[in-house]
Structure formats: C-alpha cells, structure tokens
Amino acid sequence: MRNVRFLPRLYLDYRTQFRSLWTPRPSLQWVNPGSGQTIRPFHISSTLYHGNGTERLNNTTNERVDRSSTTGNTIFALSTAPGRAAIAIIRLVPGFADTFKIYKALCPGRPLPSPRYATLRTLYDPASCSSQQDPTSDGIIDPNALILYFPAPRTVTGEDVLELHVHGGPAVVKAVLTAIPQCMPKDSLQSGPFTPLIRYAEPGEFTRRAFMNDRLDLTQIEALGDTLAATTEQQRRLSVRGTTSGLAKRYESWRQQLLYARGELEALIDFSEDQHFDESPAKLASSVASQVKALIHLIKAHSVNAVRGELLRNGISICLLGSPNVGKSSLLNLIVGREAAIVSHEAGTTRDVVEVGIDLGGYYCRFSDTAGLRTGPTESLSEVELEGMKRAKQSAFDADIVILLLEVDPKPENRHCKVKIEQEVEDLAVESNEQKDNVIVVVNKADLIEGYVDLDDFEEELNDWDETGLRSPDASKERTCLISCANAEDPMYADIGDAGRIQHMLGHLKKLCQRITSPEIPSIEGQQTDQSVWEESLSATERQRLLLDECGHHLDSFLAPFNIQGEREISVDEDDVDIVVAAESLRAAANCLAKITGKGEAGDVEEVLGVVFEK
C-alpha cells in the first residue's frame, strides 16, 4: 500500500482539548512524514475526527461512529421555564467554535470571566458593533447580566459551557436568543469540513452530549427525567436514588459475570479437542449454572421492585368500591378537599368513574369514585347504570388499592349494630383481596351509633367478621377503620380535630401505600440484605424492567436442560446440554444488561437514545 503524506491539523475535540493529529486521506495505512513510522488510526487517539469532522474511531473496535449530532455545532437553549420571571438562564455549548469568540461578540472589550465565578457583564447585540468600534448604548441587550464560564472537561456535558443569567422579561430573553446566532465573525463562516454552526438545541441534546462524553449513563439520564417530573416527596426520593451510578454499576457487574461464564463455555467449544480440562463439560456447565441461578433471583427481584417503583412514579390507583349511597362521593370530596364529585341523597348519583389525583403524605394517589354496585335483578336498572357498574368492577380489578366502603346498620333497641354489605360488593372485594391483598375496609356513618356504641371498641370488633356478619377479605386491623363523613362535613365539629376520623383512615391508607411500594429483598446466601441497597432498584424504569425480564428469560432458557434440586444441587447429562446454545443464551442475556446502561453493541442502543434523551 502506498504511503500518504499529510499535514497536521489543530482542532478542538469533543472534550475541548487541543490536539495535533494527522488527518488521513485515502489510505488505511498512515505514515508520519517526520519519522517514517507507520501508524494505525487507534494508536493516535481514542477520539479521531476524519475529513468532515463528524466521525470518530472507537479505540477498541476501530469502528466509525457518527458524531455529527453531538459535536461540532454550537448549541444553545433557554434552561429555565419560558414566561415572565426575575431571572432566565441561557446555556451555550460552543462545540468546535471558539468559546472566547462567542463571548467577545456578546461582551466586546471585556475579558473572559474566571472559570466558575459569576461575573457581571453588559450584553450587546453583535450586529450593532464590531471589533473595530466601541459598543454603543443602542446595542445593549441587558445591562446587568451574570456570566459563568465552565471549562471542559468537568462540566455537565464534558465540553466548554457558557451560562448567561439575564433578566427574565420575555423581550430580554427573546433579544438574547436572537443575538446568539450572530456571534460568529463573518470571516469565519466559510464553507468547509469544520464550519461551525450556531443553532438552538434539539430536545435532550445537552443530555445526549453528556452521555456521549461519558458524563452520564442511561440509568442516570432516565433518573434525571424523573427528577424534572417529580411532584411529590416520594417521587423526588425515587429520582434521587436513580441519579447515583449504583444501578449502572450493579447491572454492569452482572454483565461481567455473564461474560466470564460465557468465556468458560466457549473455551470448551474452541479448545476442547486441543486442551485437557480438569473438569468434564457437564461439571463445568453445572458450575456455571449455579452462578446463573443465583443471578436470576437478583434480576427477578429487581424486576419486581421496578414495578413497585412505577407506583411511585406514575401514581397509586385507589378505587372507592361500595353500594349506592354509602358515601363514596362524600369521602372523595373530603379526601381531595373540594367538590370533585356530585353528592346527593338520591342513590345512584355517580354513573361514571370520577378520577382525581392528589399528594397523600408524599405518595401520588389517583382516587376513583365509582358507581354503586347493586344485588338483585337487573331488569329495573337503566343501561347507563349497568354500564357504570361494569366500569366500577373493572376499576376495582385494575386498582392498586381498593377502599371497600360500607355503612353501619344501627340497632338502638338492643344497643348493638351490624354492617350492611351487598353480596355483589362482598364477592368483588374478596376476589380482589385474594389476588392482590390490597383491600382496606372503611365503615361509614359512625355518627348513627356514636351515642350508644364506643367507636374504638367497635372498630376492633370489625376484625371479628362472625360477629358483624361480614365474610372477611382477610384484612388486618391496620386496614379496618370507622369514619363519619357527616361529622367531617358538619360545621359544628369544625373546632374538633378529626371529628369524622378521616385523618385516622388516611393514616391506615398511607401505611398500605408504604407497604406496596417498599422494595422486595430476596434472601440469597452471600448477597447484601441492606434495604438502602435494594431501594435503588425501585428507581428502575419500565424500559429497564422489560430488559431485565428479557434477560431473565434468556437465563431461564440456559437453565432449562439442568436438573435443579434445592439451592445447591445442580446436575446435567452431557448429552442434554448444547454448549453452543448455552453460550448464546448467556450472550443474549448479557446484551440485555448492556442495553440498560447504553453499552450495547452498535445499533442496539441507538434505537432507544432519542426517546430517553427527549424525556
């Protein structure tokens, strides 16, 4: 292959460090014209830009990776919410452009601020002044702006970053955003491979650059989206757990375990005829299977906890279930603190599902008021009421928590009382609790019996279903309470704290919310049982959970030929296991874990990057 001579080019790479590199032309074999030494591309730099400045060579695979969407162009965006405010922050990442030139166009004649120090400057319109003339007052955009300069690589994106803290009036912000694209001198805007462009950033582009420059992994990026979307205290805590690199490190350690296990199996494939192994293929495969079996328990526990984390992220759905006119709408209004549902003495007022979301003790809860369920012939019911009952049943089946609302049946003549419940309601509550163990029993209209029955004693008796005549959905005392919506709404009891015992009931509800969103901690020998470690798994997103489930599926396929007896005894006949198929199952499982953190094979991760960054 013929030698090619070339000239050195000085440029600013994606970490904004100046390097003198040789720019190749048509050859794959390069020669240093000074020493005559042949140089392979990945020996020069881990980041190497070719002719048009949009590609780099991966230093391990020597593959070309397109970087045109993440480097080169100067991007800027309004980082604070749009609208009128005291301060607006505009962030710029210069890319290939000279940071000082952009700054000098906005602040002519003033030195670049010291790194990471806020400096007061006057911003000028670049179109109204040039380097040959002093700026005039007519070109002032903002007379009192704060400028912060963050040099690479210790920045949010790994590149130089300029932040402009300007007055938050819409006209000022618009003027600054209009002036920024005019910052590059006209003599530098020549067509060529390294022509810098200044444009408004695309959604998530700052985060994309941070990912490409190894400042964040995908798990941290998704947690960043949760941080921006958090509205309750539990959602905030969930996002904070995900911003650490703990999840990514754990998934990467699992991937490494699978790679090592796969390496042992592939050694059998490649060298079994040439080398002598101390262990038989069946025994070696069984040893790998024992490691895989322990890993499956961890992966499945993470998947379960990811589902519980989704309850914190998207909200806990709570269904109010009961007969007509037991006070479901009144209870909903008392919980949310407003008239969210129509309340009437006429039975069957609610025909459709009324949904309201609130912050309940840090948990985001979505309450659903449903139509009352009746027992008996349906011929006398209208089509609208029948459809309402159908939707009520579906809402109860889909709910994370069911509040079974009942009412007391007072018997003042013998100073006793019972609880009334329709058979349709009882059967639905029992079925729901058997499936999810998620029913809390609330008995309304306690004001009808408070004159001759001790409410606390009666609440304790509610756990003895034989006495009350109610077949138990196996609810515990912590999920059974007595309330009075009438007392809570009566102005006469306004000065009495929790007259209707609503807060008492909400306390039980918060405990149940905490229980169903607490992490599951598997009992595995040699593994950590610290709850704080497993709380991180709650921050796993739905995307990560699906990949964990796919990984578990491949590992189950790997274990299918093995005879597993107890926790430790694993055996297999040599004729039953195909080493090639087993190694492929481990490869597929490891690749699923790689996709979670963004370290998958080329093309595997690109399909999810756009969606993740835009969030």
Side-chain angles (χ1 to χ4, degrees):
M1 184 176 294
R2 64 187 180 89
N3 296 335
V4 178
R5 296 182 64 86
F6 41 84
L7 299 176
R9 170 172 291 168
L10 190 66
Y11 76 96
L12 188 64
D13 74 353
Y14 76 102
R15 287 188 175 89
T16 63
Q17 298 170 338
F18 285 96
R19 297 179 182 176
S20 179
L21 297 182
W22 304 110
T23 304
R25 292 307 177 195
S27 175
L28 295 178
Q29 179 173 310
W30 307 344
V31 177
N32 188 321
S35 63
Q37 181 183 4
T38 301
I39 305 173
R40 296 176 63 187
F42 56 84
H43 283 167
I44 295 179
S45 171
S46 62
T47 304
L48 180 62
Y49 287 86
H50 291 262
N52 62 358
T54 62
E55 295 180 305
R56 72 174 174 91
L57 290 178
N58 186 294
N59 63 343
T60 56
T61 63
N62 203 26
E63 297 176 347
R64 292 185 177 184
V65 182
D66 184 16
R67 298 297 295 267
S68 59
S69 62
T70 59
T71 57
N73 294 334
T74 296
I75 59 173
F76 66 95
L78 179 65
S79 296
T80 48
R84 191 185 307 274
I87 298 174
I89 300 176
I90 299 170
R91 176 178 292 172
L92 298 92
V93 175
F96 281 135
D98 192 331
T99 304
F100 181 70
K101 288 183 178 180
I102 295 177
Y103 166 79
K104 188 169 66 174
L106 292 171
C107 305
R110 302 304 301 273
L112 189 67
S114 299
R116 295 176 173 82
Y117 278 87
T119 307
L120 189 65
R121 290 287 188 265
T122 298
L123 296 184
Y124 291 87
D125 184 357
S128 65
C129 58
S130 65
S131 58
Q132 286 77 26
Q133 65 182 29
D134 294 332
T136 63
S137 59
D138 293 338
I140 295 178
I141 299 177
D142 192 338
N144 297 293
L146 281 179
I147 310 298
L148 288 98
Y149 166 54
F150 303 93
R154 295 172 57 190
T155 66
V156 64
T157 64
E159 305 165 285
D160 280 355
V161 175
L162 273 179
E163 282 191 0
L164 312 178
H165 295 229
V166 301
H167 290 92
V172 176
V173 174
K174 181 179 179 181
V176 175
L177 294 177
T178 304
I180 290 175
Q182 306 173 32
C183 288
M184 291 305 297
K186 293 183 179 180
D187 56 0
S188 68
L189 297 179
Q190 302 173 358
S191 60
F194 284 93
T195 301
L197 298 176
I198 304 180
R199 59 175 175 79
Y200 202 84
E202 298 175 358
E205 190 167 3
F206 287 101
T207 308
R208 177 184 283 269
R209 291 198 178 191
F211 171 76
M212 300 302 292
N213 294 334
D214 296 326
R215 300 297 295 175
L216 296 172
D217 58 55
L218 281 187
T219 60
Q220 292 174 308
I221 290 171
E222 289 176 303
L224 176 61
D226 292 339
T227 300
L228 300 178
T231 58
T232 69
E233 176 62 16
Q234 292 298 330
Q235 289 175 338
R236 183 195 65 80
R237 294 183 181 182
L238 182 72
S239 65
V240 169
R241 297 186 190 111
T243 53
T244 64
S245 58
L247 269 184
K249 290 179 179 178
R250 188 165 292 109
Y251 295 151
E252 180 61 18
S253 68
W254 293 350
R255 189 177 76 91
Q256 292 295 333
Q257 291 180 37
L258 294 177
L259 290 179
Y260 293 145
R262 176 188 166 196
E264 293 184 23
L265 295 181
E266 292 190 344
L268 292 175
I269 301 173
D270 297 335
F271 307 110
S272 60
E273 297 180 358
D274 303 327
Q275 301 291 332
H276 173 70
F277 290 90
D278 295 334
E279 297 178 330
S280 65
K283 188 173 182 181
L284 182 59
S286 298
S287 175
V288 172
S290 63
Q291 302 173 38
V292 170
K293 183 174 179 292
L295 185 58
I296 285 180
H297 286 299
L298 297 176
I299 290 176
K300 290 184 176 180
H302 270 250
S303 179
V304 170
N305 291 340
V307 174
R308 298 187 176 193
E310 284 296 312
L311 297 180
L312 296 174
R313 185 178 292 110
N314 299 326
I316 302 171
S317 60
I318 302 176
C319 174
L320 297 176
L321 180 69
S323 306
N325 211 27
V326 295
K328 299 185 298 296
S329 298
S330 298
L331 179 59
L332 176 67
N333 292 342
L334 288 170
I335 292 174
V336 303
R338 61 184 178 87
E339 295 294 325
I342 299 175
V343 177
S344 172
H345 292 292
E346 180 182 348
T349 304
T350 304
R351 300 296 180 90
D352 203 352
V353 178
V354 179
E355 295 187 354
V356 184
I358 66 165
D359 180 350
L360 181 62
Y363 297 93
Y364 178 61
C365 298
R366 296 179 285 109
F367 286 87
S368 298
D369 181 20
T370 62
L373 302 182
R374 302 174 186 265
T375 301
T378 60
E379 292 79 6
S380 60
L381 303 179
S382 65
E383 292 185 5
V384 175
E385 190 167 0
L386 289 174
E387 179 64 24
M389 293 172 60
K390 178 181 177 181
R391 295 187 181 187
K393 294 177 182 178
Q394 188 61 47
S395 179
F397 282 127
D398 296 339
D400 302 310
I401 296 176
V402 174
I403 296 181
L404 176 59
L405 193 61
L406 311 176
E407 61 178 337
V408 296
D409 184 14
K411 303 292 182 180
E413 62 277 4
N414 56 7
R415 302 182 65 80
H416 191 62
C417 61
K418 288 184 176 291
V419 175
K420 295 191 297 186
I421 182 172
E422 296 278 355
Q423 190 65 44
E424 185 85 7
V425 176
E426 182 183 356
D427 294 340
L428 184 58
V430 171
E431 182 178 358
S432 178
N433 201 70
E434 287 176 349
Q435 293 179 359
K436 299 182 180 180
D437 187 25
N438 64 341
V439 175
I440 177 172
V441 179
V442 178
V443 181
N444 189 24
K445 303 184 180 180
D447 53 289
L448 301 179
I449 61 172
E450 61 182 352
Y452 58 91
V453 173
D454 185 275
L455 300 184
D456 292 328
D457 291 342
F458 182 69
E459 187 173 283
E460 293 183 5
E461 291 179 8
L462 288 174
N463 294 283
D464 187 356
W465 303 108
D466 292 335
E467 290 188 12
T468 56
L470 174 66
R471 188 168 78 245
S472 169
D474 196 22
S476 64
K477 178 180 178 182
E478 288 73 20
R479 284 189 270 165
T480 306
C481 53
L482 193 63
I483 67 169
S484 171
C485 292
N487 286 352
E489 295 172 340
D490 195 338
M492 184 176 64
Y493 296 99
D495 296 334
I496 302 177
D498 198 20
R501 302 168 66 92
I502 303 299
Q503 296 303 317
H504 172 66
M505 182 271 296
L506 292 179
H508 291 322
L509 188 58
K510 292 174 189 176
K511 290 180 181 179
L512 184 54
C513 289
Q514 181 180 10
R515 185 181 67 84
I516 67 174
T517 57
S518 296
E520 179 179 294
I521 303 177
S523 178
I524 302 177
E525 183 179 354
Q527 297 294 330
Q528 288 180 307
T529 57
D530 184 5
Q531 182 168 344
S532 62
V533 174
W534 285 95
E535 282 179 347
E536 287 185 350
S537 61
L538 294 173
S539 61
T541 62
E542 180 69 6
R543 181 190 73 88
Q544 298 169 22
R545 184 189 68 81
L546 293 175
L547 287 170
L548 288 174
D549 288 344
E550 184 179 349
C551 177
H553 172 73
H554 290 303
L555 295 182
D556 286 334
S557 299
F558 171 84
L559 292 177
F562 293 87
N563 300 319
I564 302 177
Q565 300 175 356
E567 292 293 328
R568 297 177 178 271
E569 298 182 10
I570 298 179
S571 61
V572 65
D573 296 331
E574 291 190 17
D575 297 335
D576 293 340
V577 60
D578 189 327
I579 300 298
V580 176
V581 174
E584 177 61 21
S585 296
L586 295 183
R587 185 204 65 80
N591 197 43
C592 291
L593 296 175
K595 290 180 182 180
I596 295 179
T597 58
K599 298 181 180 180
E601 298 175 357
D604 289 338
V605 179
E606 285 296 327
E607 61 189 16
V608 301
L609 292 186
V611 176
V612 171
F613 295 141
E614 288 180 9
K615 288 183 179 179

